[in-house]
Amino acid sequence: MAELGAHLTAPPADGGGGQRPSVFEAVAQESLTAALRPALRHLAKVLAESNPGRLGWLWRWFDEAYAVLDLLLQQHYLATCSASFSENFYSLKRVPLRGRQGPAPAAAGLPKKQHWRSLLLLVLVPYLKGKLERLVASLREEDEYSIHPPSSSWKRFYRAFLAAYPFVLMSWEGWFLVQQLCYILGKAQHHSPLLRLAGVRLVRLTAEDIQSLERKVPVPTSGQAHSITTRVQSAARRALGGIAFSLSSGLAVCVFFLQFLDWWYSSENQETIKSLTALPTPPPPLHLNHGEGSVLLPKLKTLCPLCRKVRVNATALSTSGFVFCYRCIYGYVKAHQRCPVTGYATELQHLVKLYSPES
């Protein structure tokens, strides 16, 4: 059985001069990209809640800020390594689908057409998909509490949109699944349709690629050395490259921590944590005082146990949980320092005012 499935983890070298990565490597680099966004979103939420006045914009404009960050990061890696951030992390690179010659070194970059296609698909597609998912979620929530009459054209439109969205999403995910199955069976050169649209495929980095990346140092020509415009452009390019390199280095170091945060705050893990740490519902308090001074509870829950009338200005005792009129329980606790029902030791600071929706 292991021999029959060996081709899944040990793909053959393709005819284009590079070894094709296994499907597990391809899916792993995509999962790395998918883990960054929710982890950074949670970080932005924590920062915004800690200082809403200064950092609130970080949460409100998170999608746009992340898109700019992703644009800088992917542009840096595509220009210097012929790969996206996650692909370079797994020692992969992109090469054109139809190349007359063998693949160029990774440090040479992609042709302009494939470069800009790759950058557009890497940044724009996740941004639009995230926006669409939040739009659908908001429309579903609005549909539950909508005030539009059933015959309005707007309501018919977005109800049709909500009805069609699951089928569109299923078709999109099915397209990716079929492409991955073809890649596993060796019928396709790429595991993702987005790679096909970009006109590239993935191969593993070779020893020559690694050496070319280590030797790549930008050196300005002598004719451009004294041009002010060229200096400004070069300084701006170096600054953007430095920012992208710093971000990529920081993300590379923290990538496993971000994946841990994504797992920790996932809904499945939170349900498991709650099931393990949730305390059982406490039983009703026992009546410790059964003497003449103890108060019996009235049959009607709206009555005060002390005055036997409908509660006015309802106040609870945090030590026992029972509710009384404020005047009644204030005088009783001040005089006896205990709960009139359970006999628990109680002070005035244990009185808690209760507010109803009507108030």
Side-chain angles (χ1 to χ4, degrees), residues 266-286:
S266 62
S267 57
E268 297 82 1
N269 186 59
Q270 288 298 310
E271 292 177 359
T272 304
I273 294 175
K274 289 180 180 178
S275 64
L276 295 175
T277 60
L279 298 176
T281 304
L286 300 175

Side-chain angles (χ1 to χ4, degrees), residues 247-268:
L247 292 173
S248 63
S249 301
L251 288 177
V253 173
C254 301
V255 64
F256 295 106
F257 176 70
L258 292 174
Q259 287 184 325
F260 172 77
L261 285 179
D262 180 49
W263 168 81
W264 180 261
Y265 289 103
S266 62
S267 57
E268 297 82 1

